[in-house]
Amino acid sequence: LYGNLYCTAPTAPVSSGATNVLYNGSDQSIMASIIPNTTIDWYSGSIGGTAQLSGSFSSPTQTNVGTYIYYAEARNSISGCSNVSAARTPFTLNIAPTSLTYVSNTVSRPYGAANPALTGSITGFVNNENEVSATTGTLSFTTSASTANSIGAYNIIGSGLTSNNGNYIFVQATGNSTALSITTATIPLTITATQITKCYGLTYSFLGTEFTTTGLLNNDVVSSVSLSSSGSISTANSAGSPYTIIPTNA
């Protein structure tokens, strides 16, 4: 009579779906609910398999990123009973990687100059982990900007690290895309008018190309300037020679 009334096969544990969590550096597990007077044994397979944990409402713990599947079997916990559920219920634990953020320090340089040293940091570690304990590689920062790039904002991108066990993924801070500023160079630009000779009584019409330059960077050019001189008119006499040629609107 005892066996007929009390030692019945318990209902299999019920899963409400996969448990999805982010890596947090600590042990994580799945909780299963069952009816009174039962406990749970966890296995690696739906049939047979290796026993992972016995007599616990929570599954074996996992820490690192990955997908873990355990099979829960309900067991009658009344003294003297050993009945188990007719089937095992699969429970899935998905541990997804947490984000680490490369944060570059902002820097600036004048146009045409070499890039300064690029530095930054990595943030987002959990559970007191750090770059040394949770990653391998060497933290570095680079930019796509060269001495030839014009005035403006350019990226500084972090890289070089690999997460242990895939527990972290790496992203760039929003500000990294404009962390390097190229500003106006303070190098003097000199425009020298070409010496011109004309005969008295003639008018000289400037083409805008009668000049040379010094101080330009990166093969930059000044294609034309406005040139003027009081000596270019037909009435300019030789007594006032030589006349100044003034370049403007370069």
Side-chain angles (χ1 to χ4, degrees):
L1 178 61
Y2 178 86
N4 291 335
L5 290 178
Y6 298 105
C7 293
T8 58
T11 302
V14 177
S15 172
S16 59
T19 298
N20 301 307
V21 295
L22 287 176
Y23 173 76
N24 64 8
S26 300
D27 291 340
Q28 304 196 71
S29 63
I30 302 166
M31 291 294 294
S33 60
I34 55 175
I35 63 174
N37 299 321
T38 58
T39 188
I40 293 179
D41 297 327
W42 298 87
Y43 292 87
S44 61
S46 59
I47 299 175
T50 303
Q52 303 291 306
L53 185 65
S54 298
S56 174
F57 293 111
S58 61
S59 68
T61 59
Q62 295 292 340
T63 303
N64 294 323
V65 164
T67 295
Y68 305 92
I69 301 176
Y70 297 103
Y71 295 85
E73 180 180 84
R75 175 166 47 88
N76 195 320
S77 61
I78 296 176
S79 178
C81 297
S82 59
N83 308 68
V84 296
S85 55
R88 295 174 183 170
T89 303
F91 286 79
T92 301
L93 171 63
N94 294 314
I95 303 178
T98 292
S99 295
L100 292 179
T101 304
Y102 288 111
V103 182
S104 57
N105 296 325
T106 56
V107 293
S108 64
R109 66 165 174 83
Y111 170 72
N115 291 322
L118 305 178
T119 59
S121 59
I122 186 82
T123 64
F125 290 104
V126 297
N127 199 32
N128 295 317
E129 294 181 342
N130 55 48
E131 182 182 333
V132 174
S133 66
T135 67
T136 57
T138 302
L139 178 64
S140 64
F141 290 86
T142 58
T143 179
S144 59
S146 69
T147 55
N149 283 101
S150 58
I151 293 169
Y154 296 86
N155 60 18
I156 299 177
I157 301 300
S159 62
L161 298 180
T162 300
S163 168
N164 296 340
N165 303 306
N167 291 330
Y168 294 96
I169 57 175
F170 298 89
V171 298
Q172 303 292 328
T174 302
N176 288 8
S177 61
T178 56
L180 171 63
S181 297
I182 299 180
T183 60
T184 303
T186 56
I187 300 173
L189 170 62
T190 302
I191 297 177
T192 304
T194 303
Q195 183 174 335
I196 296 169
T197 301
K198 80 173 187 70
C199 295
Y200 173 75
L202 298 179
T203 298
Y204 183 83
S205 297
F206 288 101
L207 299 176
T209 57
E210 301 91 338
F211 66 93
T212 59
T213 61
T214 56
L216 291 172
L217 301 172
N218 297 324
N219 297 315
D220 290 341
V221 297
V222 175
S223 58
S224 66
V225 298
S226 296
L227 298 168
S228 62
S229 174
S230 59
S232 64
I233 60 177
S234 61
T235 56
N237 56 51
S238 60
S241 183
Y243 292 87
T244 301
I245 302 174
I246 301 173
T248 57
N249 299 324

